[in-house]
Amino acid sequence: MTELVHTRAELAKARAGLAGTVGVVMTMGALHPGHETLIRAARERADHVLVTIFVNPLQFGPDEDFDRYPRTLDTDLEVCRRAGADLVFAPAAADMYPDGQPTVRVHPGRLGEELEGQSRPGFFHGVLTVVLKLLQLTRPDFTFFGEKDYQQLTLVRRMARDLDVPVEVVGVPTVREPDGLALSSRNRYLSADERQVALGLSAALRAGAAAAEGGADAGDVLTAAHRALGATPGARLDYLALTDPELEPGPVAGPARLLIAAWVGGTRLIDNLAIRLAPRS
């Protein structure tokens, strides 16, 4: 049985009844099988699973899709029930920000202004602020984030470490369609033709990974990824970056992360892949 609560008082009462460990999965709703995977991962690690559903206005810029972002609470609840969530917290903005938008926010540091942060100024200030608030309200032992939003996962881990938040931040591998497209709530914006174009993002990552497996250096990995993306016209590249696993400047050998963001029609998509660069000879 999955219980739905909307207010802080209801959440506090329901949370007090959860004995044992608690895992929290934070979402903006429009749940898909990727979210379901997060909930099932939490089910495996924790005695109880709490899901939050909140479209956070702080992380949307003035020209972004806050108003049209899908809100599908009834179907979201079915996903939560199927995946085994015990409790769903779906607050209104007035419950999350009772005094209006907060004047004090979490600063993400230098990394928060790069990659997604450079393209979406202020984005991670809003993300980390709401994540910290939800961690305070839900008091979990574990919190689960998908690797598809890899920069978000990395920054949440850093925030928990730097601010001594007593929670284990667990990363869960990206869930993909059979053709390789990373699952995203924004995929529903894509037309059939645009969806074919969107496959260019994962194809670019796979091409970069294949080049790395063949012994290519960082520059050649990026070249291979650019070529693959160009083979599927229609995507407008925002960035294609190769970094170390902590999103610091790219290594010359060993574990690395290849990240991409591009516009397909009016929809901005992101994806990433772990790769390994061969040692220099």
Side-chain angles (χ1 to χ4, degrees), residues 27-230:
T27 81
M28 292 206 302
L31 303 188
H32 51 65
H35 295 109
E36 188 168 346
T37 297
L38 291 175
I39 298 169
R40 293 189 186 280
R43 182 84 269 167
E44 292 178 0
R45 288 286 306 273
D47 297 317
H48 299 283
V49 178
L50 193 164
V51 176
T52 69
I53 298 175
F54 178 62
V55 183
N56 177 33
L58 300 191
Q59 65 196 69
F60 288 80
D63 298 321
E64 294 185 331
D65 57 348
F66 176 75
D67 288 333
R68 74 174 183 133
Y69 193 87
R71 291 156 171 86
T72 56
L73 183 58
D74 289 342
T75 53
D76 291 344
L77 288 174
E78 288 303 314
V79 173
C80 291
R81 292 187 184 106
R82 185 169 64 241
D86 299 282
L87 180 62
V88 174
F89 177 47
D95 290 289
M96 285 303 300
Y97 305 117
D99 299 316
Q101 293 200 0
T103 56
V104 176
R105 304 188 186 191
V106 178
H107 195 291
R110 172 189 53 79
L111 178 57
E113 312 301 338
E114 300 172 356
L115 300 172
E116 287 300 288
Q118 183 173 356
S119 297
R120 305 176 69 186
F123 173 67
F124 285 115
H125 299 70
V127 169
L128 294 185
T129 298
V130 77
V131 167
L132 184 58
K133 286 173 69 71
L134 287 168
L135 289 173
Q136 299 278 30
L137 290 169
T138 60
R139 297 175 289 109
D141 300 277
F142 312 99
T143 184
F144 296 78
F145 287 86
E147 290 186 357
K148 203 271 289 185
D149 297 291
Y150 191 77
Q151 189 175 8
Q152 172 180 270
L153 168 63
T154 301
L155 283 167
V156 170
R157 281 176 168 155
R158 288 191 181 188
M159 178 184 72
R161 181 180 66 236
D162 291 350
L163 300 184
D164 296 311
V165 182
V167 67
E168 180 180 343
V169 182
V170 181
V172 178
T174 301
V175 179
R176 299 181 180 277
E177 298 281 5
D179 57 12
L181 183 67
L183 294 184
S184 169
S185 298
R186 289 185 168 93
N187 288 352
R188 67 187 65 198
Y189 298 157
L190 300 171
S191 68
D193 289 342
E194 288 171 343
R195 194 186 180 289
Q196 290 302 305
V197 173
L199 294 176
L201 277 74
S202 56
L205 296 177
R206 291 196 303 273
E213 289 173 5
D217 63 15
D220 288 340
V221 165
L222 288 170
T223 297
H226 275 287
R227 277 202 198 108
L229 185 66

Side-chain angles (χ1 to χ4, degrees), residues 13-27:
K13 181 179 179 181
R15 174 64 182 84
L18 300 180
T21 58
V22 172
V24 67
V25 176
M26 300 181 191
T27 81

Side-chain angles (χ1 to χ4, degrees), residues 235-254:
R236 291 180 288 121
L237 183 66
D238 186 347
Y239 63 76
L240 178 64
L242 183 62
T243 73
D244 82 355
E246 296 298 315
L247 299 182
E248 296 298 336
V252 295

